[in-house]
Amino acid sequence: MKYEKIIKWVLAVLFVVGIVFSFYGFAVGFESNGNAPVDNMLYCAYAFAGIAILAVLFGVVVIGGINNPKSLLKLLAGLVAIVAIVAVAYVLAPGTPAVGYLGEPVSDGTLKLTDTILNLTYLLFGAAILSLVVGWIVGATRK
């Protein structure tokens, strides 16, 4: 089967849908109709994200599993590692209220989730910098 043609047409359709929603937003005005154009564009973005996630899942799990069944074990190990990293970030998150915040009270769960996301951001930024430095060192020593 020609997957390239299917992918090409799906991408073309998604591109046209994105353009139509963008022009609709600009033509109607983003502030009119109770922010309906903004809502429509957000729904379109959610649909695009869902399609992308489904495509990755299909490509990795189904096609990867058919071509190499042992790759599913590596995928499972990777998912376990990701869950462990997120769990550590969640446990380390203090969930304390923001200093000097005078607005509406925020729930403890929201504070904990925000701190978890900040911890993950710091951790992944540090890992990216470390991997760049290690990559440069390894690349310089191998030449």
Side-chain angles (χ1 to χ4, degrees), residues 20-45:
V20 167
F21 274 114
S22 297
F23 280 129
Y24 170 72
F26 283 110
V28 173
F30 291 108
E31 301 286 326
S32 65
N33 290 337
N35 291 328
V38 174
D39 291 341
N40 288 337
M41 291 180 74
L42 285 174
Y43 296 145
C44 184

Side-chain angles (χ1 to χ4, degrees), residues 4-5 15 19 21 27 35 40-41 49 57 70 77 84-85 93 95 101 116-117 131:
E4 295 86 19
K5 286 186 178 183
F15 182 69
I19 289 175
F21 274 114
N35 291 328
N40 288 337
M41 291 180 74
L57 285 175
K70 290 184 179 180
I85 290 170
Y101 179 70
T116 301
I117 292 171
S131 67

Side-chain angles (χ1 to χ4, degrees), residues 118-143:
L118 283 172
N119 285 345
L120 284 172
T121 303
Y122 300 147
L123 177 70
L124 294 176
F125 178 74
I129 298 295
L130 182 67
S131 67
L132 284 172
V133 171
V134 168
W136 289 330
I137 291 171
V138 169
T141 58
R142 286 190 179 169
K143 288 185 179 181

Side-chain angles (χ1 to χ4, degrees), residues 60-85:
V60 170
V61 175
V62 175
I63 296 175
I66 291 171
N67 292 338
N68 185 7
K70 290 184 179 180
S71 68
L72 294 177
L73 292 175
K74 292 180 184 177
L75 177 66
L76 182 63
L79 287 175
V80 168
I82 291 171
V83 168
I85 290 170

Side-chain angles (χ1 to χ4, degrees), residues 85-99 106-124:
I85 290 170
V86 172
V88 167
Y90 183 79
V91 168
L92 293 177
T96 55
V99 176
V106 181
S107 69
D108 292 337
T110 302
L111 292 171
K112 185 86 167 172
L113 182 63
T114 303
D115 288 344
T116 301
I117 292 171
L118 283 172
N119 285 345
L120 284 172
T121 303
Y122 300 147
L123 177 70
L124 294 176

